[in-house]
């Protein structure tokens, strides 16, 4: 029997209509390259998004066309999110911090027809344009007064384009499985791969992510998404905030600037923010150095890499801010699991709660998790068994753009049972809290036992003289591999190998203790700011443990 309910398609434009009708006065505050503090409301934003949709039609962009963006978190980028997807085109966000040859590859692979570019990123495209034959025009995200003198061909000014258009536009209705946005993984090996989101996956992800025990998106909140809109849609904040009516504060190019972030949080009374651990370390150091505060901030979500314990402790003790650690990937939109308190936790000590915050959190409805052994057999959730983490659900990728989806091929990330292999190794405890111990390819296997590199790194960065640390496995004649710790000292600090080892003694099991500690001036990172262990292993290829 068929149900008798409306078969309304889940459309990104419906979020915009909802925000326009229900929260017309909610503010969006942005820092941009041409304005240190731009303010407008959801009503203005909805009008401008419709103007932009008309401008896209006038440019000749068609249903299904890829429209590239190279931009920071601000209101114009948000308008692109809604106008491009809302009119049936694909909003292809590109990370301006990637290597130029990767940006070049990604734009050509996606066959972007037009690129909307931030003022600060114009030089990158000037250098690349000769290699981008399919791009028909470049639109600089600024007004006439700030238009740069540029060699970009067929260049247009964003505000001039919008200014010529009507704010009336009827958002089209179409199949909710239509592509809405694209984001390429950074690809430490091989070329970046294009993840393609749909209207349906985007709405379900934003809905799932808004639940009270996830990020609790709310009309009462003022949210500062620091995680970039070019990296997995700023973890869904641009959609969840408009669904809920949260005031948005957008840091523009200032996302790694402790002073600017503190000022934004204080002056706009930000209550919730999201970002990767390095951003928070930078902000915490700035606050410690200056004695400044962030009293309005209540919660921060942290993900993208394991959150060091010291970030959780410093936020709690110095600023009374709760850290909500989440795990996810570009292919999971990105929300996979997230920390939440459960009843009964009131009886735990602060240390015990921090232990749980250091884990990667619990499953969110909409995304199923499991851990499996080498033969793809499911392992128990006993907090002891380690295995490859696999996931499935309506916001998980089933393939990559332009790649064969034949089972077993590179473009097909899904196994024969329909599960996506995350490439992470994890353990899950009986309460459902998951803990990532490594990337599959970074696992240290010593004498047949797995040693968690993340556990060693987290313990090492809690040393007051250590700024950053990486643990990798190196050849050992008896144990095949043993952990080697590579540490970067904080500016002006001194510490020796023996001091670090004795500091780690009561923090790690004997088996996880690194056999040696070496110091480097800096560690290699990927374009998304993650430790590049592949490159580190290459650098240390000839390394041998002291006898
Ligand atoms: P990339 O483009 O570098 O692949 P992703 O954001 O897709 O960027 O990276 C996803 C990976 O980041 C995960 O598979 C996992 O290894 C790591 N990661 C994300 N969040 C966490 C976390 N909270 N703790 C540990 N690792 C994490």
């Amino acid at each position: 029997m068929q149900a008798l309910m409306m078969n309304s398609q889940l459309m990104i434009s419906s979020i915009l209509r909802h925000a326009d009708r229900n929260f017309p006065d909610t503010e969006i505050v942005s820092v941009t390259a041409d304005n240190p503090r731009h303010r407008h409301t959801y009503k203005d934003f909805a009008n401008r998004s419709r103007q932009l949709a008309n401008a896209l039609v006038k440019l000749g962009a068609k249903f299904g066309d890829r429209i590239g963006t190279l931009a920071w978190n601000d209101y114009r980028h948000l308008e692109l999110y809604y106008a491009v997807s809302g009119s049936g085109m694909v909003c292809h966000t590109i990370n301006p911090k990637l290597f130029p040859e990767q940006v070049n590859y990604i734009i050509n692979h996606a066959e972007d027809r037009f690129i909307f570019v931030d003022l600060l990123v114009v030089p990158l495209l000037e250098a690349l344009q000769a290699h981008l034959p399919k791009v028909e025009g470049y639109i600089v995200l600024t007004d006439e007064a700030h238009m740069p003198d540029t060699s970009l061909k067929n260049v247009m000014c964003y505000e001039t384009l919008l200014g010529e258009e009507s704010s009336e536009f009827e958002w089209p209705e179409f199949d909710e499985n239509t592509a809405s946005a694209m984001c390429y993984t950074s690809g430490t090996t091989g070329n970046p791969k294009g993840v393609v989101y749909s209207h349906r996956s985007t709405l379900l992800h934003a809905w799932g992510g808004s639940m009270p025990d996830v990020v609790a998106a709310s009309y009462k909140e003022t949210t500062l998404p620091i995680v970039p809109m070019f990296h997995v849609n700023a973890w869904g904040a641009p959609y969840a905030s408009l669904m809920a009516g949260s005031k948005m504060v957008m840091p523009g190019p200032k996302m790694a600037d402790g002073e600017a972030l503190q000022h934004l949080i204080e002056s706009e009374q930000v209550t919730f923010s999201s970002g990767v651990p390095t951003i928070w370390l930078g902000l915490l150091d700035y606050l410690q150095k200056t004695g400044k505060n962030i009293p309005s901030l209540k919660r921060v979500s942290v993900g993208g890499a394991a959150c060091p314990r010291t970030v959780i402790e410093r936020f709690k003790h110095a600023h009374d801010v709760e850290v909500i650690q989440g795990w996810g990937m570009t292919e999971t939109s990105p929300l996979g699991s997230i920390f939440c308190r459960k009843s009964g936790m009131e009886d735990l000590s602060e240390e015990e709660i921090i232990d749980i915050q250091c884990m990667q959190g619990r499953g969110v409805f909409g995304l199923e998790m499991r851990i499996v052994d080498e033969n793809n057999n499911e392992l128990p959730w006993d907090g002891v068994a380690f295995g490859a983490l696999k996931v499935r659900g309506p916001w998980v990728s089933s393939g990559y753009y332009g790649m064969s989806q034949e089972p077993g091929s590179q473009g097909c990330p899904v196994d024969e049972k329909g599960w996506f292999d995350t490439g992470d190794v994890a353990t899950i405890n009986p309460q459902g809290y998951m803990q990532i111990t490594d990337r599959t390819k970074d696992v240290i296997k010593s004498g047949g036992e797995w040693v968690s590199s993340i556990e060693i790194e987290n313990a090492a960065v809690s040393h007051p003289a250590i700024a950053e640390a990486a643990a990798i496995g190196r050849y050992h004649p008896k144990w095949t591999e043993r952990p080697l710790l590579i540490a970067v000292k904080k500016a002006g600090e001194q510490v020796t190998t023996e001091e670090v080892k004795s500091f780690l003694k009561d923090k790690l099991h004997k088996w996880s203790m690194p056999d040696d500690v070496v110091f480097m001036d800096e560690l290699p990172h990927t374009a998304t700011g993650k430790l590049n262990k592949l490159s580190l292993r290459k650098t240390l290829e000839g390394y041998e443990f002291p006898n």
Side-chain angles (χ1 to χ4, degrees):
M1 189 171 107
Q2 273 287 334
L4 294 170
M5 302 306 268
M6 289 187 190
N7 187 21
S8 308
Q9 298 294 289
L10 302 177
M11 297 274 94
I12 287 177
S13 55
S14 68
I15 308 179
L16 184 66
R17 263 204 310 270
H18 173 76
D20 187 14
R21 291 304 290 262
N22 293 283
F23 319 114
D25 302 334
T26 299
E27 272 192 305
I28 303 173
V29 181
S30 306
V31 178
T32 62
D34 58 19
N35 188 345
R37 201 65 68 96
H38 174 276
R39 328 182 75 90
H40 71 354
T41 62
Y42 279 5
K43 172 118 240 113
D44 306 325
F45 168 73
N47 281 332
R48 283 171 55 90
S49 299
R50 290 188 292 262
Q51 285 178 287
L52 176 55
N54 282 318
L56 287 164
V57 171
K58 197 183 270 177
L59 282 173
K62 300 261 172 339
F63 193 82
D65 280 349
R66 271 75 65 207
I67 307 294
T69 68
L70 276 155
W72 314 112
N73 293 10
D74 65 34
Y75 67 105
R76 293 185 181 118
H77 204 177
L78 198 64
E79 289 159 5
L80 281 157
Y81 262 51
Y82 280 90
V84 172
S85 306
S87 38
M89 299 156 201
V90 184
C91 183
H92 174 205
T93 55
I94 307 161
N95 180 350
K97 292 193 281 180
L98 292 175
F99 298 115
E101 52 281 14
Q102 287 181 316
V103 174
N104 185 82
Y105 170 86
I106 288 174
I107 294 174
N108 284 328
H109 190 262
E111 299 181 287
D112 294 330
R113 279 190 66 196
F114 294 94
I115 300 198
F116 287 76
V117 55
D118 189 272
L119 266 178
L120 302 175
V121 192
V122 168
L124 172 69
L125 283 181
E126 286 175 336
L128 288 181
Q129 65 173 335
H131 309 287
L132 306 173
K134 296 250 163 87
V135 178
E136 295 167 39
Y138 300 91
I139 299 97
V140 183
L141 293 162
T142 191
D143 54 20
E144 284 295 342
H146 295 87
M147 269 305 272
D149 186 13
T150 171
S151 65
L152 279 180
K153 295 206 186 69
N154 201 7
V155 69
M156 292 161 261
C157 167
Y158 182 81
E159 292 299 334
T160 308
L161 269 189
L162 248 66
E164 291 164 356
E165 300 302 328
S166 146
S167 60
E168 300 288 314
F169 184 84
E170 205 51 53
W171 298 107
E173 289 275 328
F174 42 86
D175 178 3
E176 64 187 15
N177 291 301
T178 304
S180 60
M182 270 171 104
C183 180
Y184 278 69
T185 63
S186 59
T188 33
T189 52
N191 281 323
K193 293 186 277 190
V195 173
V196 185
Y197 307 108
S198 68
H199 286 255
R200 173 184 157 81
S201 71
T202 304
L203 258 80
L204 291 176
H205 175 264
W207 239 327
S210 302
M211 288 195 291
D213 282 335
V214 188
V215 297
S218 162
Y219 199 16
K220 301 187 282 291
E221 298 273 2
T222 296
T223 178
L224 169 74
I226 303 176
V227 53
M229 289 170 73
F230 54 72
H231 196 205
V232 216
N233 300 325
W235 299 348
Y239 307 110
S241 304
L242 268 80
M243 274 183 173
S246 317
K247 171 178 167 183
M248 294 188 84
V249 181
M250 313 281 267
K254 299 282 186 188
M255 50 194 153
D257 179 334
E259 183 178 1
L261 292 177
Q262 187 278 336
H263 186 54
L264 274 177
I265 293 170
E266 190 177 43
S267 56
E268 299 298 335
Q269 292 289 294
V270 170
T271 55
F272 173 72
S273 183
S274 46
V276 296
T278 25
I279 294 293
W280 300 126
L281 277 168
L283 176 65
L284 287 165
D285 285 347
Y286 172 79
L287 296 174
Q288 191 175 352
K289 208 169 67 203
T290 57
K292 291 196 176 159
N293 284 309
I294 41 170
S296 61
L297 195 66
K298 299 289 172 265
R299 302 176 305 137
V300 294
S301 82
V302 185
C307 180
R309 190 178 185 95
T310 113
V311 169
I312 302 171
E313 288 171 343
R314 289 171 73 188
F315 262 127
K316 170 82 196 145
H317 299 145
H319 305 286
D320 200 20
V321 169
E322 178 166 65
V323 169
I324 306 166
Q325 173 159 205
W327 165 90
M329 5 181 12
T330 308
E331 288 93 331
T332 63
S333 299
L335 179 61
S337 61
I338 198 155
F339 166 80
C340 77
R341 286 173 184 269
K342 85 192 247 317
S343 62
M345 267 195 187
E346 312 78 70
D347 302 333
L348 297 182
S349 69
E350 194 167 282
E351 280 303 297
E352 287 168 319
I353 292 183
I354 293 179
D355 288 344
I356 300 172
Q357 285 173 291
C358 285
M359 301 171 85
Q360 277 68 24
R362 296 169 47 82
V364 172
F365 177 72
L367 186 127
E368 282 179 83
M369 296 192 287
R370 64 149 144 190
I371 44 173
V372 298
D373 66 15
E374 282 151 21
N375 299 316
N376 209 7
N377 294 318
E378 189 162 6
L379 292 166
W381 290 22
D382 58 7
V384 180
F386 292 79
L389 177 67
K390 297 205 170 184
V391 297
R392 67 177 180 192
W395 60 74
V396 179
S397 295
S398 59
Y400 296 101
Y401 179 67
M403 292 176 77
S404 154
Q405 281 169 41
E406 275 295 298
S409 69
Q410 257 230 323
C412 177
V414 176
D415 71 14
E416 64 290 354
K417 294 180 181 166
W419 291 79
F420 175 91
D421 189 351
T422 63
D424 287 322
V425 176
T427 165
I428 307 178
N429 77 12
Q431 287 77 42
Y433 288 91
M434 187 267 282
Q435 183 154 28
I436 301 278
T437 55
D438 263 305
R439 296 288 292 162
T440 318
K441 53 186 188 302
D442 294 336
V443 156
I444 305 171
K445 212 163 185 190
S446 186
E449 296 271 344
W450 273 346
V451 176
S452 165
S453 63
I454 293 181
E455 190 187 351
I456 304 175
E457 288 155 10
N458 279 347
V461 293
S462 63
H463 189 290
I466 295 183
E468 202 182 4
I472 58 172
R474 288 291 81 183
Y475 173 73
H476 188 281
K478 181 166 178 197
W479 305 111
T480 323
E481 268 193 340
R482 285 296 300 149
L484 167 69
L485 180 70
I486 302 102
V488 177
K489 293 176 200 166
K490 284 189 183 158
E493 296 286 347
Q494 284 312 322
V495 62
T496 64
T497 296
E498 283 319 310
E499 282 164 354
V500 175
K501 282 171 99 173
S502 91
F503 174 81
L504 292 177
K505 250 193 194 122
D506 60 347
K507 297 187 171 53
L508 295 172
H509 298 295
K510 196 161 172 275
W511 194 240
S512 303
M513 275 295 290
D515 276 25
D516 194 13
V517 182
V518 297
F519 296 97
M520 285 171 81
D521 291 339
E522 57 179 344
L523 294 175
H525 292 95
T526 66
T528 48
K530 298 189 187 190
L531 271 177
N532 188 343
K533 291 200 182 169
L534 194 74
S535 148
L536 194 58
R537 274 193 291 268
K538 259 194 203 133
T539 311
L540 290 160
E541 216 154 38
Y543 172 87
E544 282 178 26
F545 284 113
N547 279 330

